[in-house]
Amino acid sequence: MSATTVRVPRGAAPTARPSPPVVRGVVARGDQRGRLLGFPTANLAVPGLDVPDSVWSGTVRVVREGVSGRYVAAVSIGRRPTYYGRHGVRLLEAHLLDFSGDLYGEVIEVRLLHLLRLQRRFPTSEALQEQLHLDVRGVRAQAADLARQAG
Ligand SMILES: Cc1cc2nc3c(=O)[nH]c(=O)nc-3n(C[C@H](O)[C@H](O)[C@H](O)COP(=O)(O)O)c2cc1C
């Protein structure tokens, strides 16, 4: 059973500003490829998350007793089709900007704020890596805004 919980608001009144999807869970061990690509990620299993396979800018809060760190992040949701076709495990992977460390076993709360693009299959790792640089550059450009929106 997964310890991940998802809060996807539905049916907000038309005049209300819709709240962003928030996913909370315990960070699982990845297969470490992210480190090799230069984009390490904190991973949550999200089999039932009602969000398409996509890439978002957002924030990650590390929920640790006595410590409350929040980071701006580039977040990917999907099966990593570049490596696994359609058969990969569906993961939420958050690359935290300006963070180095291991969050394995920690509880994190991921707030998805802006949809950047859909996840897709790249012909090579290098092509994916180039796109990741662009994604992160885009997230960094929004950083002040994201921090403000996360409250
Ligand atoms: C911002 C971001 C965007 C991503 N976009 C894609 C994508 O479009 N297609 C894809 O196959 N994988 C995508 N990924 C997932 C990478 O393939 C994955 O992070 C990498 O293979 C490392 O996996 P690991 O942490 O399980 O080792 C993305 C990851 C991040 C952080």
Side-chain angles (χ1 to χ4, degrees):
M1 209 190 74
S2 162
T4 307
T5 58
V6 179
R7 194 148 41 86
V8 182
R10 288 169 212 277
T15 50
R17 186 194 162 106
S19 357
V22 177
V23 184
R24 187 185 169 110
V26 179
V27 176
R29 181 76 68 203
D31 60 23
Q32 307 296 313
R33 189 187 302 112
R35 269 172 221 290
L36 298 177
L37 289 173
F39 297 92
T41 57
N43 299 351
L44 301 178
V46 287
L49 177 61
D50 189 13
V51 169
D53 289 0
S54 48
V55 179
W56 295 70
S57 61
T59 57
V60 172
R61 194 165 70 86
V62 181
V63 185
R64 191 186 296 163
E65 205 154 321
V67 186
S68 179
R70 196 181 55 210
Y71 297 86
V72 165
V75 184
S76 171
I77 296 159
R79 300 180 191 277
R80 295 153 294 157
T82 303
Y83 300 101
Y84 301 106
R86 286 184 292 138
H87 304 291
V89 175
R90 194 156 193 259
L91 291 178
L92 179 155
E93 299 180 275
H95 173 70
L96 282 57
L97 273 60
D98 306 318
F99 174 84
S100 63
D102 193 351
L103 291 173
Y104 173 67
E106 304 270 6
V107 175
I108 60 171
E109 194 173 271
V110 183
R111 201 166 286 256
L112 304 175
L113 291 167
H114 297 287
L115 178 64
L116 301 180
R117 64 180 175 88
L118 295 179
Q119 202 181 65
R120 61 180 210 266
R121 194 182 75 75
F122 287 85
T124 60
S125 286
E126 290 71 26
L128 170 62
Q129 206 171 16
E130 259 175 51
Q131 180 62 53
L132 294 181
H133 278 290
L134 294 176
D135 292 338
V136 167
R137 197 179 303 163
V139 171
R140 202 174 278 288
Q142 297 175 359
D145 228 36
L146 296 168
R148 196 166 38 243
Q149 282 180 56

